[in-house]
Amino acid sequence: ALRTTEYIDIAVTYDMPTTTMGRFKFSADATRYLDQTTTSEIGNAPQSYLGIFDGDVVYPKWKGRLMTRWDMDDYSVDLTGNYMGSVIDDTGATDRLRAHITLDLQVGYALPFGDRRFASKLTVGARNVFDKIPPLSPGAFSNNYAERSYDPRGRFVYVKWDQSF
C-alpha cells in the first residue's frame, strides 16, 4: 500500500521577561493535515482518510498542544492541554468520534540544600488529570477505541527526582 500524507506544522513560543511574579513561557503547536490518502494496490484509485476513523487509526484534520510554564526561584509549574480533532467513524458503528482533549500538570521544586553544582529537583505531576477516556467506537479493530491514536491509560500520577553531579 502507498500512503501519502501532507500537513502543515505550526509552532509559536513566547517567553515573557522575568517579573516580580516570576517567568512565564507560553507555547502552542498544531498540525493541520491537508492530505491523507492510501492506494491499496497498483491501479486502484487512492482513497482519502482525512477526517476519518477507519477502525484502526484516527486521521484528524487538526491536532495540537498548548503549554504554559511558570518559574520563580526554586518553583515551577507546567500545564499542557492536548487536542485531537473529531473524525467521522467510517466503521458504521457510530456517526463521529468526538474531539479528545486531555490536560497534564506538573509541579517542580529545586531543593535548596547543598552545593548548587549538585542540584536536586523534585517533580510531582499527572498526565490526563481529569481521567478522560478515548472516544469509543464498537467498530474499532480492538478494545473499542483507536489504540494506535490515543493513550488509554487514563490518569497517570508520577513523582520524579532529578540529581545533578
Side-chain angles (χ1 to χ4, degrees):
L2 172 67
R3 286 188 189 238
T4 303
T5 303
E6 292 180 24
Y7 57 90
I8 296 172
D9 281 334
I10 304 162
V12 178
T13 301
Y14 177 68
D15 254 330
M16 285 181 63
T18 302
T19 68
T20 57
M21 293 177 47
R23 181 175 165 211
F24 292 88
K25 180 177 184 174
F26 304 96
S27 63
D29 59 70
T31 300
R32 171 57 164 107
Y33 289 91
L34 305 170
D35 182 31
Q36 194 73 266
T37 57
T38 299
T39 305
S40 58
E41 294 179 17
I42 295 174
N44 285 358
Q47 181 175 355
S48 176
Y49 286 94
L50 187 60
I52 302 289
F53 169 55
D54 69 355
D56 188 29
V57 178
V58 170
Y59 299 99
K61 292 181 181 177
W62 285 97
K63 69 179 182 177
R65 180 176 39 225
L66 292 172
M67 295 167 280
T68 300
R69 180 178 181 88
W70 169 79
D71 289 300
M72 186 168 180
D73 300 325
D74 294 328
Y75 299 92
S76 65
V77 176
D78 293 280
L79 186 63
T80 304
N82 307 289
Y83 174 80
M84 175 86 77
S86 67
V87 292
I88 295 168
D89 187 347
D90 201 35
T91 69
T94 60
D95 291 333
R96 178 172 282 285
L97 300 184
R98 72 189 188 293
H100 188 59
I101 299 172
T102 59
L103 186 69
D104 305 333
L105 173 68
Q106 76 174 25
V107 177
Y109 177 63
L111 300 164
F113 54 83
D115 188 332
R116 284 288 180 191
R117 292 178 297 159
F118 305 103
S120 300
K121 183 175 182 180
L122 177 64
T123 304
V124 177
R127 292 195 178 126
N128 193 1
V129 171
F130 297 111
D131 202 22
K132 300 263 308 217
I133 63 170
L136 300 177
S137 170
F141 179 69
S142 63
N143 299 323
N144 291 331
Y145 71 94
E147 61 188 24
R148 292 177 49 191
S149 301
Y150 301 106
D151 185 347
R153 289 182 285 184
R155 183 181 306 116
F156 176 78
V157 177
Y158 59 91
V159 175
K160 180 171 84 168
W161 179 280
D162 290 308
Q163 182 68 54
S164 298
F165 295 98

